[in-house]
Amino acid sequence: MSATSIAITLALATSVAWAAANFFVQRASLALGGLRAMWWGQLVGGAVLVPTALLLEGTPTLPPLLPLALAGVGSALGYYGMMRAYAVGPVGAITPLLASWAVPATLLGLAFGKTPTPMQALAGSLVVLGAAGNGALARGGEWRGSRRAGFAWAAACSLGFGTMMAGIGEMGDAVGPVSIVPMAWAAQWVFLLPALVANPGTLRPPPSFRDVGLMALCESVGFVAYAVAATLAPPVVVSPPASLSSPMTVLFAALFLGERASPARWFFVAVAGVGCVLLARS
């Protein structure tokens, strides 16, 4: 296989890994609660990513503190919002809205003097339209709370991850793509320290590490696969296949969880997927 073929395969593996992670995120958040699932998932994920980053990228340098703080705040909102959203709504309905984080990331770029291109504006509109249409038509799966709460937490997650990625984007090449993930997580827990103090049960080990461990493993595999793919081919080749976790999640939810998806929903999922691919290429 050529280097480009290997890169595309790894990028697709990234989407598959992150799509699988979404299911274990839901299971872990339902079993442990959002904060506790975050703590133990990122502790396990850090145990995987830190040595991998040292092996692939060497000893990292400390990034600029302001972008790191921005990434930490965004990570806190993004991951907690994701945990709460999946605890309320079915995976297939929630995921496309979560995956629209590139839209707030692009808009936040305005604060750093980065004006969106016409292609980014078009792609962002497609992502929002697709996510909103899918959510409005979602009927399959079990809602464990109000739809409004589920979509509100999903929107908070999207804003959080968009903020996180905007902060990471401002670091430039100061830190490698694998190293920056545990760094952002560490910065996140600085901001969430009051929540840990107020909820000491968060630090209690879970009765089973199965869901937390699989969640962390799938997410970590996705980060590493993308980082390696990016060394083999340019972003214009790697980013589109790595941005397909949203439609893959909806597909997996239909196949394995029995979440019904009407033709109209599939249309909106496809619209959101096209928007994600276009944003990744722009």
Side-chain angles (χ1 to χ4, degrees), residues 110-139:
L110 293 170
F112 297 99
K114 298 178 180 177
T115 304
T117 65
M119 178 59 72
Q120 288 173 327
L122 172 62
S125 300
L126 291 176
V127 171
V128 173
L129 174 64
N134 172 69
L137 296 173
R139 294 293 182 270

Side-chain angles (χ1 to χ4, degrees), residues 24 46 62 102 114 208-209 269:
F24 296 114
L62 184 66
K114 298 178 180 177
S208 170
F209 276 90
V269 169

Side-chain angles (χ1 to χ4, degrees), residues 21-46:
N22 290 332
F23 295 95
F24 296 114
V25 167
Q26 184 183 61
R27 290 173 63 95
S29 61
L30 286 171
L32 304 176
L35 196 66
R36 193 175 173 202
M38 282 174 62
W39 170 261
W40 286 102
Q42 292 179 356
L43 201 63
V44 174

Side-chain angles (χ1 to χ4, degrees), residues 90-96 129-141 143 147 151 246-247 249-251 253-254 258-273:
V91 174
I94 294 294
T95 299
L129 174 64
N134 172 69
L137 296 173
R139 294 293 182 270
W143 286 87
R147 293 165 63 92
F151 290 134
S246 175
T249 300
V250 179
L251 176 62
E259 294 185 8
R260 298 185 305 276
S262 65
R265 271 192 67 192
W266 281 115
F267 169 76
F268 282 113
V269 169
V271 168

Side-chain angles (χ1 to χ4, degrees), residues 130-206:
N134 172 69
L137 296 173
R139 294 293 182 270
E142 178 186 357
W143 286 87
R144 302 166 187 84
S146 74
R147 293 165 63 92
R148 182 176 299 178
F151 290 134
W153 281 115
C157 169
S158 177
L159 176 61
F161 283 150
T163 303
M164 175 182 171
M165 296 308 295
I168 289 175
E170 287 306 305
M171 297 180 198
D173 298 325
V175 184
V178 179
S179 301
I180 191 54
V181 177
M183 282 190 177
W185 289 349
Q188 159 198 290
W189 288 108
V190 172
F191 293 104
L192 290 177
L193 185 59
L196 288 179
V197 173
N199 299 275
T202 298
L203 306 181
R204 188 174 68 254

Side-chain angles (χ1 to χ4, degrees), residues 4 8 43 46 73 88 132 154 194 210 213 241 245 262 266:
T4 300
I8 293 173
L43 201 63
V73 170
V88 172
R210 184 190 63 180
S245 62
S262 65
W266 281 115

